[in-house]
Amino acid sequence: YCGGRPFRGKRAVVIGANTSAHDIAQDLWEQGAASVTMVQRSPTLVVSTDSVLRFGLGPLYSEDGIPHEFADYIATTLPYGVVERRWREMAAQMRENDADLHERLR
């Protein structure tokens, strides 16, 4: 992706929904694309800040926790199999904790 200017007045589709995809979609819109659509292949899990901090990243990234450099090292060097298992567990905990939020979004 080299910028949204060539897409001025055109319809654009961005495949993906992570940070880069949002940045690209915003740039396309700001550069005058006629419409911008984002497509993702799996469902989105909407979580509250409370759930992320309580079940996810809070133990690593808390005000009174370890320095962020160490937290980053731990978060980025765990084997993928361990990370995937842990995120599945955390997603289930977050889904349960945020059940009321999810119901209100329906």
Side-chain angles (χ1 to χ4, degrees):
Y1 181 77
C2 296
R5 188 160 292 170
F7 299 92
R8 180 180 302 276
K10 298 180 181 177
R11 299 183 320 175
V13 175
V14 178
I15 307 298
N18 277 329
T19 306
S20 296
H22 282 92
D23 292 345
I24 291 168
Q26 179 176 349
D27 184 57
L28 287 164
W29 176 79
E30 289 175 349
Q31 296 299 320
S35 69
V36 180
T37 301
M38 291 179 67
V39 177
Q40 68 184 55
R41 64 181 177 174
S42 59
T44 298
L45 174 60
V46 176
V47 295
S48 66
T49 301
D50 174 66
S51 283
V52 170
L53 293 176
R54 186 184 305 177
F55 304 112
L57 302 175
L60 282 178
Y61 297 99
S62 64
E63 293 291 325
D64 56 348
I66 62 176
H68 72 273
E69 295 88 355
F70 294 136
D72 289 347
Y73 181 76
I74 291 168
T76 58
T77 58
L78 287 172
Y80 184 73
V82 172
V83 172
E84 182 182 13
R85 257 190 322 275
R86 181 64 186 119
W87 273 106
R88 287 183 188 279
E89 293 168 5
M90 288 187 295
Q93 292 170 317
M94 290 183 215
R95 194 173 285 113
E96 182 178 332
N97 190 61
D98 290 337
D100 181 57
L101 169 66
H102 297 155
E103 187 56 38
R104 288 180 288 153
L105 291 172
R106 291 184 198 273

